[in-house]
Each structure stands twice: as structure tokens, then as C-alpha cells.
Amino acid sequence: MNRVELSQQIIDTCLEMTRLGLNQGTAGNVSVRFDNGMLITPTGIPYEKLTPDHIVYVAEDGSFEEGKLPSSEWLFHLTCYKQRDDINAVVHNHAINCAAVSILNKSIPAIHYMVAASGTTEIPCVPYATFGSTKLAEYVEEGITKSKAILLQHHGLIAGEVNLEKALWLAHEVEVLADLYLKILAVTPDAPTLDDESMQVVLEKFKSYGLRVEK
Ligand code: 13P
């Protein structure tokens, strides 16, 4: 896919993220791996005003095109691509339930088998650091090596996947899990969880889940 097509896909993903109720205003950002670097949303422009021309190319050394300003979170996006070969698209948002769980500083344990969609048995919450900071990118580096979805304390969610469609799907699934977790926490502080053996079975099944047979 060429740059303009990918840029349009980024914008479509942003608009869909808002439509799904996962984000609002200028919160959140979206990127896709491209040409040894990435294409990423610009900083502070509402999604509905974006055109492919606004999308910024950031090289692997962090340099970017003159006359454009990438998302303030460009460093943690780049970090996700450097840390994992299986991530080609990254979605960040301030989804209400994910943000609420992050404010409680809780990781999402194996309360439901869908936690395994993150590629592991627990969706970690990484410590708070100022948005756009090197410190936050360091925490993200640690978290994303463990899980394709992570909560950022007092902030929101990051989800990375093989493409934009799957990254948004994962972000939506984690928001549903966070909603579920909050409902359980309202009843008991000790949420029942699946045992490790059961989760390993699901992790194995997820390796082929959703694969299509080419015709
Ligand atoms: P940007 O507009 O710079 O992408 O910032 C939004 C955000 O959510 C920061 O975490």
C-alpha cells in the first residue's frame, strides 16, 4: 500500500475509534509501520479535520518531515515497533474504562479468556509518566515486550497488532474487558481468574484464531 492509502487508513481508524466511543476530541493517536519508520497522526488536530497530507512520517532515528509535527507520543509508538516484529500498527486512546482501571493502578488479570488476545495472561498497567516524555516511552518499552496491549497509569491504553484493523479490534476488546473488570471490582476486590493452564490453551488457540483460508 502506498503512503496516501496508508494515511487514509490511519484517518479511517481514528474516526472509527471515535465512533466506537473509545476516544474523543484530540485525545489518542494512531500510527503504522512504514519504510523503516512510521506514519503517525499529527499532534493536536481533531480527527474529523485530518487529511492524508496531515499524517507525518517519522524515521527510525526520530527525525520527521519539516513543516509537520507528529503526535506528542511519537516516541512510544516508535518504541513499540522497535520492541516487537509482530506489531505493524499502534493505537493509543483514553477509553473511559481502560483509563478508570489505570487510575486504580491495576493490571487486568485473567478474568476472561479474551485477556489472551493481548498475547499473554495479564494486561499490565505501566507506571505514570508525563505524556510525550522519554520516561513514559521507557515504561512502554517494558510493558509492550510482555503484552500487545498495555494500560498507562492515569492515562489510557496502547494496543499494537499486525495491522490497523486488528490494533483497533484489540483496543476495543480491552475496553470491554476493562468495563467487565470494573463491574467485578464493584462486587469483590478478589476477582476470580482463570488458571494458567486454561489460559495457555487459549493462547495456543489464538495463534490460528481468525486466520482466513486463501481462495
Ligand atoms: P497528540 O495530539 O499529541 O497525539 O496527543 C494526544 C494524547 O493522547 C497524548 O497522550
Side-chain angles (χ1 to χ4, degrees):
M1 212 176 285
N2 68 35
R3 176 174 171 164
V4 176
E5 286 166 337
L6 270 176
S7 298
Q8 187 56 52
Q9 265 201 10
I10 289 178
I11 297 168
D12 293 345
T13 304
C14 293
L15 294 173
E16 182 65 2
M17 184 157 75
T18 302
R19 195 191 67 75
L20 288 168
L22 298 177
N23 217 38
Q24 78 295 317
T26 61
N29 25 72
V30 172
S31 72
V32 70
R33 194 191 284 274
F34 184 74
D35 203 11
N36 291 330
M38 64 181 179
L39 292 170
I40 189 165
T41 45
T43 187
I45 301 184
Y47 296 148
E48 62 277 9
K49 295 207 170 129
L50 290 180
T51 66
D53 207 40
H54 286 115
I55 304 301
V56 190
Y57 175 69
V58 179
E60 59 185 328
D61 63 0
S63 58
F64 49 87
E65 302 164 279
E66 246 188 72
K68 293 189 185 185
L69 273 183
S71 164
S72 50
E73 303 293 17
W74 66 268
L75 185 54
F76 77 50
H77 281 257
L78 207 52
T79 298
C80 292
Y81 298 121
K82 286 187 177 161
Q83 285 309 111
R84 295 184 71 129
D85 289 344
D86 58 346
I87 287 182
N88 294 319
V90 173
V91 160
H92 163 58
N93 63 42
H94 299 173
I96 293 290
N97 295 293
C98 286
V101 174
S102 84
I103 290 163
L104 294 171
N105 193 18
K106 285 187 176 293
S107 299
I108 306 178
I111 47 166
H112 190 288
Y113 81 84
M114 280 304 288
V115 166
S118 67
T120 186
T121 55
E122 181 173 275
I123 297 166
C125 181
V126 305
Y128 178 79
T130 311
F131 81 94
S133 66
T134 308
K135 193 77 205 157
L136 182 58
E138 281 170 20
Y139 290 140
V140 168
E141 179 174 335
E142 220 172 282
I144 206 77
T145 51
K146 297 184 197 142
S147 170
K148 288 186 281 185
I150 60 176
L151 300 176
L152 312 180
Q153 190 184 10
H154 293 281
H155 189 158
L157 166 87
I158 299 177
E161 256 293 357
V162 288
N163 57 36
L164 284 165
E165 192 185 348
K166 286 203 81 177
L168 185 59
W169 167 80
L170 180 58
H172 197 197
E173 289 299 335
V174 178
E175 174 63 356
V176 171
L177 289 165
D179 186 9
L180 197 55
Y181 192 34
L182 290 172
K183 287 190 166 79
I184 298 164
L185 288 177
V187 178
T188 172
D190 300 313
T193 53
L194 288 161
D195 59 34
D196 198 54
E197 198 186 332
S198 306
M199 286 301 282
Q200 293 305 327
V201 172
V202 180
L203 282 168
E204 206 46 45
K205 278 178 85 87
F206 265 134
K207 287 183 184 161
S208 56
Y209 178 74
L211 289 183
R212 303 283 183 270
V213 177
E214 299 295 334
K215 291 215 174 100

